[in-house]
């Protein structure tokens, strides 16, 4: 599809965005899949199938907790992610948990990780790959975006799309910042209930689980923004 970009992203029909095959979504942490792609996933699970690959174990969201040390918190976040996918129409079989250390994905070998992801894309028959925007202000998001480029180098038939999470939230000019790629808006109106329920499944990130230390807590306004507004995707043309 070739449409002249304007300041306001053009709405794209979901079928044009995801194609007819299962989609693969790379989530740097448990909850990114819902925040950035919950509407897309709900639609894909209904019509063509989807697979989520969670890159890290999410264990660094509440450092210093004695009640929830990293290994216990990682198990909790894994359960929350399965519950979230169930809310979106999927389940545990639709998840690959890579479990790399939260906050240190950039220290891992990207080529080896890309090979594992490429094998999953081949297994599920994916033609579209979704990864967080490299403009997101989190090292694990940037590392995941870089790994996605390695994946499409291995599988050039894949179409790659970036989805903004942190860059959408903390950059008031995120549409202009992402204007170097075709930027599309996906209406989530028919899936906002599922998306809201999925985000509520990530209880540890809503301040409902870890109580002995202060840690990450998703701001209510951020939750509202991502659950009640449309999603945005950039199509990436990798350099040859």
């Amino acid at each position: 599809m070739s449409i002249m970009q304007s300041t306001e992203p053009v709405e794209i029909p979901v079928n044009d965005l995801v194609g007819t095959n299962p989609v693969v979504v790379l989530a740097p942490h448990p909850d990114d899949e819902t925040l950035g792609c919950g509407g897309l996933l709900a639609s894909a699970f209904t019509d063509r199938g989807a697979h989520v690959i969670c890159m890290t174990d999410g264990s660094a969201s509440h450092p210093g907790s004695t009640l929830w040390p990293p290994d216990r918190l990682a198990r909790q976040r894994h359960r929350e992610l399965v519950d979230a996918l169930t809310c979106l129409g999927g389940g545990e079989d639709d998840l690959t948990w890579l479990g790399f250390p939260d906050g240190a994905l950039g220290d891992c070998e990207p080529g080896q990780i890309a090979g594992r992801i490429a094998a999953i894309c081949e297994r599920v028959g994916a033609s579209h790959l979704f990864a967080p925007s490299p403009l997101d202000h989190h090292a694990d998001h940037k590392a995941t975006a870089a790994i996605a480029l390695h994946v499409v180098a291995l599988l050039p038939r894949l179409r790659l799309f970036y989805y903004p999470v942190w860059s959408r939230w903390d950059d008031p000019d995120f549409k202009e910042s992402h204007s170097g790629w075709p930027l599309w808006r996906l209406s989530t109106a028919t899936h906002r209930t599922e998306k809201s329920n999925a985000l509520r499944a990530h209880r540890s990130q809503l301040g409902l689980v870890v109580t002995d230390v202060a840690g990450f807590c998703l701001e209510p306004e951020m939750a509202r923004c991502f659950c009640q507004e449309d999603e945005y995707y950039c199509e990436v043309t990798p350099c040859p």
Side-chain angles (χ1 to χ4, degrees), residues 57 68-80 97:
D57 63 9
W68 291 88
D71 58 344
R72 184 187 182 197
L73 184 56
R75 292 193 298 271
Q76 171 69 20
R77 298 201 67 185
H78 183 279
R79 288 192 296 270
E80 291 174 353
W97 179 269

Side-chain angles (χ1 to χ4, degrees), residues 86-107:
T86 301
C87 292
L88 294 172
E92 190 165 11
D93 291 343
D94 304 306
L95 170 65
T96 294
W97 179 269
L98 294 183
F100 289 104
D102 187 359
L105 186 60
D107 297 334

Side-chain angles (χ1 to χ4, degrees), residues 43-127:
S43 178
F45 280 132
T46 298
D47 295 331
R48 59 192 53 78
H51 196 85
V52 172
I53 301 175
C54 189
M55 308 295 286
T56 75
D57 63 9
S59 62
S61 65
H62 291 77
S65 173
T66 56
L67 296 177
W68 291 88
D71 58 344
R72 184 187 182 197
L73 184 56
R75 292 193 298 271
Q76 171 69 20
R77 298 201 67 185
H78 183 279
R79 288 192 296 270
E80 291 174 353
L81 179 49
V82 172
D83 290 343
L85 294 182
T86 301
C87 292
L88 294 172
E92 190 165 11
D93 291 343
D94 304 306
L95 170 65
T96 294
W97 179 269
L98 294 183
F100 289 104
D102 187 359
L105 186 60
D107 297 334
C108 301
E109 171 51 50
Q112 293 180 4
I113 301 173
R116 294 177 64 181
I117 294 171
I120 294 168
C121 291
E122 290 273 71
R123 175 172 59 82
V124 304
S127 58

